[in-house]
Amino acid sequence: MSTSTFYEVADDRPAGAGLVAAAPIAAGTAVADFADRPVHTVPSVYTIQVGVAEHVDSPTVRYLNHSCAANVFVDTVARIVITMRAIGQGEELTFFYPSTEWAMVRPFACLCAAPDCIGMVQGAYFLPSDVLARYPLSPHIRKLDADRGGPSRDRPPVPGSGS
Ligand SMILES: [Zn+2]
């Protein structure tokens, strides 16, 4: 397993193993780089989606857990993990899985307890476009979302609205 000065793998997270800040990390810091990892055409429970049909498994980035109030962003173009805000020592590094994953191999119920928690984490496909729009998204997710017909495709009709 590769090591990082920014985080360590902790196996005591509610969702299983996770990455925990080993020291305070400033906002905008690239804490991991997975550009050297091979690209697969088939996803697994460990991969991160980096393109419409491209998936990468990194031996450490695979431990990044999901949160609906994430503190890091997985940049699938630069293939780095970057902090979106300052992170305190001992705080878990988390990213918003639907920002990279369109349809996940193994959906799960989110435990993040954020006020706007999405509940079931299944991939961006399963979220309405207007919910997705609240989050930073990877280019392939933006493209797949746009290709399915634009904003609010999944919003149910409002009774009495005349539409
Ligand atoms: Zn959540």
Side-chain angles (χ1 to χ4, degrees):
M1 183 180 297
S2 62
T3 56
S4 163
T5 54
F6 295 106
Y7 57 77
E8 50 206 14
V9 177
D11 61 7
D12 61 348
R13 302 294 99 190
L19 302 183
V20 171
I25 310 173
T29 303
V31 295
D33 180 327
F34 55 100
D36 61 340
R37 302 298 302 168
V39 173
H40 307 279
T41 55
V42 177
S44 77
V45 294
Y46 300 119
T47 54
I48 288 178
Q49 188 174 359
V50 298
V52 170
E54 297 178 306
H55 307 267
V56 173
D57 180 13
S58 158
T60 49
V61 176
R62 65 159 63 175
Y63 291 114
L64 266 180
N65 282 321
H66 164 91
S67 172
C68 301
N71 53 21
V72 303
F73 179 70
V74 175
D75 182 331
T76 57
V77 177
R79 309 273 167 95
I80 58 173
V81 178
I82 189 162
T83 56
M84 295 194 290
R85 59 171 173 78
I87 297 174
Q89 183 173 357
E91 191 176 347
E92 184 170 3
L93 277 56
T94 56
F95 86 102
F96 185 68
Y97 281 11
S99 71
T100 62
E101 306 306 301
W102 185 242
M104 288 166 49
V105 171
R106 188 196 292 165
F108 59 90
C110 188
L111 303 172
C112 82
D116 56 352
C117 177
I118 61 171
M120 282 300 292
V121 182
Q122 308 175 79
Y125 171 83
F126 300 93
L127 292 172
S129 298
D130 53 350
V131 172
L132 283 178
R134 295 187 216 142
Y135 301 90
L137 301 172
S138 299
H140 64 278
I141 295 297
R142 282 208 199 87
K143 174 182 169 25
L144 289 163
D145 181 44
D147 286 353
R148 69 177 173 176
S152 304
R153 165 187 163 275
D154 294 333
R155 181 185 292 161
V158 178
S161 67
S163 59

